[in-house]
Amino acid sequence: MKRWLVALLVLGLSAMAQEALKVGVVVSATGPAASLGIPERNTFLMLQEMLDRTGGVAGRKVQFVILDDASDTTQAVRNTRRLVEEGVVAVIGTTTTPASLGMIPVVAEAKVPMISLAASKDIIYPVDAQRHWVFKTPQTEELMARAIVADMVARGVKTVAYIGFNDAYGEGWARFFEAEAKAKGLQVVASERYARTDTSVTGQVLRIIARRPDAVLIGASGTPAVLPQRTLKERGYAGLIYQTHGVANPDFLRVGGKDVEGTFLPAGPILVAEQLPGTFPSKRVALDYIQRYEAKYGIGSYSTFGAHAWDAWLILKPALERALKRADPAKDLAAFRAALRDEIEATRNLVATHGVFTFSREDHLGLRFEDAAVMVRVENGRWKLERIFR
């Protein structure tokens, strides 16, 4: 009887040790940011299938617990609390800047590492007591503003106008773009805002056109970014129009149609992976992701946003392997989460789809400008590589 009980106990402990590593995922699969969040969600569904076939990480199964925040900050925070209570080892997400910022206090209080899929530099800087737990994969507005202004200067632009979301994403872009523009001698003649859910920006556009700027930057993301550009075209604006890397997906092209022809934007190199020179560091990894994604979801379906999710996993997987050597989540979840955070921060020279990641105590983005940004133009409904900064 005793041997039988001991055997059952050993089997029980073994089963506990082999419980799946839960990774929480929050994305905007519905709502205004759905065109960004859907490819992120699809990427994790694809990863789940791959991990189920290959056995997970270091012999441990991995389970992605995927929740939709409906492009709403309150729901993103609620989802994060739920995931923390369910014992996830890390949180990935969410899609938008305002919601990601809202999640930070939750993961910081619970001491759970988080990898955001949103753009703002404010998500990871400065690395204070809360952002100690937070990393991210998308390029910041600061990095991409540098690319935009460099392109504007090269094209002889002298005066610029800005119109962007009236939230953390749009304000961040306004701050960094206007500072970079002024530093490079460009005159900012107008700065306007609109809501993601607005159906008209006529007033803002008329004020911009009245100032006759050589170029306009639209600081928005997803399909809501089409509205100002369409209105500019309808009102006869003939200058250059720039968008941010927040529109680098097929839905922007589909919804924008002829109105977004000629658009300039900075993007992660994966957007034009096939057009990159063979020596570009992320080309091979980017093409591998594209092949996998399109094999599952269809030719032309990939976007830079799904690739941000892929990069988050490329970072998390080796960090999980290293953390499992330091702590056992079945015995001490808090110790494992802390070890995992440290191992994410220890990431060095990791080649991903959007560039090469090297984190440090002061830098929780870890991308180099020359590897992480290219300039792209919309031509005949497709993305065309315009400029490399290497």
Side-chain angles (χ1 to χ4, degrees), residues 295-307:
K296 183 169 179 60
Y297 297 109
I299 300 298
S301 59
Y302 84 95
S303 78
T304 62
F305 301 98

Side-chain angles (χ1 to χ4, degrees), residues 132-374:
H132 174 77
W133 294 91
V134 182
F135 304 82
K136 70 188 220 61
T137 53
Q139 299 87 341
T140 62
E141 330 94 310
E142 182 180 41
L143 187 152
M144 291 309 209
R146 179 180 169 189
I148 289 174
V149 172
D151 190 80
M152 287 180 171
V153 170
R155 296 181 191 280
V157 169
K158 301 297 183 184
T159 58
V160 296
Y162 175 82
I163 178 171
F165 286 154
N166 62 348
D167 60 21
Y169 184 88
E171 293 302 330
W173 262 101
R175 185 168 82 249
F176 288 110
F177 168 68
E178 292 174 14
E180 182 71 13
K182 291 175 183 176
K184 294 298 187 292
L186 303 184
Q187 182 183 2
V188 181
V189 297
S191 187
E192 300 285 343
R193 305 291 186 276
Y194 74 107
R196 292 174 185 254
T197 54
D198 280 353
T199 57
S200 173
V201 290
T202 301
Q204 297 95 313
V205 163
L206 288 176
R207 287 192 291 272
I208 287 173
I209 291 176
R211 302 308 301 270
R212 299 182 178 180
D214 297 330
V216 177
L217 170 63
I218 299 171
S221 62
T223 53
V226 172
L227 178 62
Q229 185 155 354
R230 179 168 288 150
T231 308
L232 283 163
K233 293 290 184 71
E234 289 171 350
R235 295 291 172 167
Y237 179 71
L240 302 177
I241 298 179
Y242 288 77
Q243 292 271 0
T244 76
H245 57 316
V247 304
N249 68 7
D251 281 348
F252 174 76
L253 298 177
R254 176 183 57 80
V255 173
K258 63 180 178 58
D259 292 319
V260 300
E261 276 291 308
T263 304
F264 294 98
L265 66 145
I270 186 174
L271 189 66
V272 286
E274 292 184 351
Q275 301 173 49
L276 295 171
T279 55
F280 204 92
S282 62
K283 180 170 184 173
R284 181 185 60 80
V285 180
L287 290 175
D288 175 66
Y289 169 75
I290 292 170
Q291 186 275 324
R292 291 174 185 272
Y293 192 93
E294 291 189 337
K296 183 169 179 60
Y297 297 109
I299 300 298
S301 59
Y302 84 95
S303 78
T304 62
F305 301 98
H308 289 312
W310 185 263
D311 287 353
W313 176 245
L314 291 181
I315 292 165
L316 187 60
K317 181 178 181 289
L320 282 169
E321 292 171 343
R322 296 192 299 268
L324 284 167
K325 297 176 182 178
R326 296 177 51 187
D328 185 346
K331 295 178 180 177
D332 191 336
L333 181 57
F336 182 78
R337 286 168 167 171
L340 180 57
R341 191 225 72 90
D342 292 347
E343 293 300 342
I344 294 172
E345 192 176 80
T347 299
R348 299 287 186 275
N349 298 315
L350 188 144
V351 181
T353 68
H354 279 274
V356 182
F357 288 90
T358 295
F359 294 130
S360 70
R361 188 177 300 176
E362 297 78 24
D363 183 1
H364 282 190
L365 171 65
L367 287 173
R368 298 178 302 186
F369 173 71
E370 61 270 23
D371 295 332
V374 297

Side-chain angles (χ1 to χ4, degrees), residues 87-146:
V88 298
V89 298
V91 174
I92 300 176
T94 187
T95 306
T96 65
T97 287
S100 287
L101 289 169
M103 292 164 61
I104 292 173
V106 180
V107 297
E109 182 181 7
K111 294 181 169 53
V112 178
M114 167 179 156
I115 303 177
S116 173
L117 304 177
S120 176
K121 182 178 180 179
D122 291 341
I123 295 169
I124 46 89
Y125 184 84
V127 184
D128 53 19
Q130 289 195 337
R131 290 170 178 82
H132 174 77
W133 294 91
V134 182
F135 304 82
K136 70 188 220 61
T137 53
Q139 299 87 341
T140 62
E141 330 94 310
E142 182 180 41
L143 187 152
M144 291 309 209
R146 179 180 169 189

